[in-house]
Amino acid sequence: MVKGWWLFVIIQLGLTLVIPLLACLYFCYWLCDHTGVGSWVYIIGLIFGIGAGIMTWYKLYLRAKKHNKKKDKKPFGFNDHV
């Protein structure tokens, strides 16, 4: 395993949580600037951004959990029976 792998995990977690939030807030900014919608849109964008970040992190967690479960299984051979 690569030395300092935990640093990559922390960076990935941070980006997974921050990028959707920033994208939603930028969309709210663009929406307010071009259409003149009120500032209340930022609250909705904040909620959607946090929700998207959490869902992305959860899917990443499930994928890692599934990968570790596959790694723990014993290989199946010709003479092995349930």
Side-chain angles (χ1 to χ4, degrees):
M1 189 162 257
V2 178
K3 191 178 199 180
W5 62 271
W6 54 270
L7 183 62
F8 296 118
V9 172
I10 291 173
I11 291 172
Q12 178 66 39
L13 177 63
L15 289 176
T16 301
L17 292 173
V18 170
I19 296 297
L21 178 63
L22 291 177
C24 284
L25 289 177
Y26 178 75
F27 178 71
C28 290
Y29 168 75
W30 180 85
L31 196 63
C32 286
D33 193 37
H34 288 355
T35 62
V37 179
S39 298
W40 57 270
V41 174
Y42 284 104
I43 297 170
I44 295 171
L46 185 68
I47 292 169
F48 277 117
I50 291 172
I54 290 172
M55 284 302 297
T56 305
W57 178 81
Y58 183 68
K59 287 181 182 181
L60 183 68
Y61 169 74
L62 288 179
R63 189 180 323 153
K65 188 176 173 183
K66 184 178 178 182
H67 178 71
N68 286 339
K69 186 183 264 187
K70 283 183 182 179
K71 197 184 290 186
D72 292 340
K73 285 188 177 180
K74 189 173 103 174
F76 183 76
F78 178 73
N79 291 330
D80 291 340
H81 298 284
V82 180

